[in-house]
Amino acid sequence: EDQVTQSPEALRLQEGESSSLNCSYTVSGLRGLFWYRQDPGKGPEFLFTLYSAGEEKEKERLKATLTKKESFLHITAPKPEDSATYLCAVQPIIQGAQKLVFGQGTRLTINP
Amino acid sequence: DGGITQSPKYLFRKEGQNVTLSCEQNLNHDAMYWYRQDPGQGLRLIYYSQIVNDFQKGDIAEGYSVSREKKESFPLTVTSAQKNPTAFYLCASSRERAYEQYFGPGTRLTVT
C-alpha cells in the first residue's frame, strides 16, 4: 500500500532558526513527489515537484530534496510569515490515473 | 485571473439532506479532483475526472456523487448516505500529463 508519513507533526522555531521537515514514503513506483503549503482555513498552495532521487528545488527560504525513500523540506532563516502546515504528497505510477497520496502534514510555527 | 473557485465557503445542513458543492476552474485544465480533509488526517480522494463525461471513484467515494458535463465544472453532491459528512472539502485541477494539482479555497460543510 502506498503511504506517506510526515515528521514531526508540529514544529515551533524562533525567527531565523533553520530546520528541516521530513516526508518518508513507500510507493510501488514514484511518478513525482509534491510539497504544498496550507494556511488555516484555506486550500493548499503548490510549492515544488520532485521527480527523481538527487533532485533539489528552491524557492526563497525553502529548499526541497529527494532520496529514494524520503524528502526533506529545508527552511533557512524562517520568518513568522512562513508559519503554516506543510503537506507532502506522492503520485504513484498507476496506469491512466493521476492520484496523489498525502501525508498528515507538519504544522510549522515561527515565533518572532 | 486564472484559478479555481469553490462555493460557498461555509455550508450548514441538517442530517438527511443532500447538498451540492460547487467547483469551477478557468485554467483550461483537463483533470479535476475532490478531496476531503479531516483534522489530523491527510487529504483523501473522493472522486476524480480526467475528461468531460467521465469520472472515477477515489478512496472514499461512498455517500458521494459527481458529474462532469463541462470541462470547467465538477460539482460534488454529498448525499444523506454519507455517514460523517462534516469536513473541509477541497477541489483541485491539473493539466493533462502534468502531475501537480492546484487547489481551490475549500468549502467547510457542517451537518447537524
Side-chain angles (χ1 to χ4, degrees), chain A residues 31 34 36 38 41-44 46 49 51 87 91 96-100 102-104, chain B residues 9 33 35 37 40 42-43 48 50 59 88 90 94-95 98-101 103-105:
Chain A
R31 179 167 277 159
F34 307 85
Y36 289 86
Q38 186 175 26
K42 297 191 176 181
F46 170 72
T49 308
Y51 292 106
L87 303 175
Q91 187 166 72
Q98 294 173 266
K99 298 171 65 172
L100 293 183
F102 280 84
Q104 298 96 319
Chain B
K9 187 173 173 67
Y33 313 80
Y35 290 89
Q37 187 173 36
L43 275 69
Y48 65 102
Q50 293 179 282
D59 300 317
F88 190 48
L90 288 158
S94 66
R95 290 181 289 122
Y99 310 123
E100 60 269 15
Q101 296 177 13
F103 285 83

Side-chain angles (χ1 to χ4, degrees), chain B residues 47-77:
Chain B
Y47 267 99
Y48 65 102
S49 167
Q50 293 179 282
I51 57 171
V52 174
N53 292 323
D54 187 45
F55 47 83
Q56 286 79 41
K57 292 182 179 180
D59 300 317
I60 55 165
E62 186 175 347
Y64 300 98
S65 65
V66 294
S67 63
R68 185 90 187 274
E69 297 176 2
K70 298 187 300 182
K71 185 175 181 178
E72 303 79 19
S73 179
F74 192 40
L76 173 75
T77 297

Side-chain angles (χ1 to χ4, degrees), chain A residues 40-104:
Chain A
K42 297 191 176 181
E45 174 191 344
F46 170 72
L47 294 174
F48 303 111
T49 308
L50 300 167
Y51 292 106
S52 56
E55 191 175 356
E56 298 183 355
K57 294 271 180 75
E58 280 190 70
K59 180 180 179 179
E60 296 180 356
R61 295 176 292 282
L62 299 176
K63 183 168 82 170
T65 62
L66 180 64
T67 72
K68 289 187 177 178
K69 292 184 179 181
E70 58 191 350
S71 176
F72 291 93
L73 185 65
H74 307 278
I75 181 161
T76 302
K79 299 181 178 182
E81 53 262 41
D82 295 320
S83 297
T85 295
Y86 290 86
L87 303 175
C88 173
V90 297
Q91 187 166 72
I93 296 175
I94 302 173
Q95 189 71 19
Q98 294 173 266
K99 298 171 65 172
L100 293 183
V101 178
F102 280 84
Q104 298 96 319

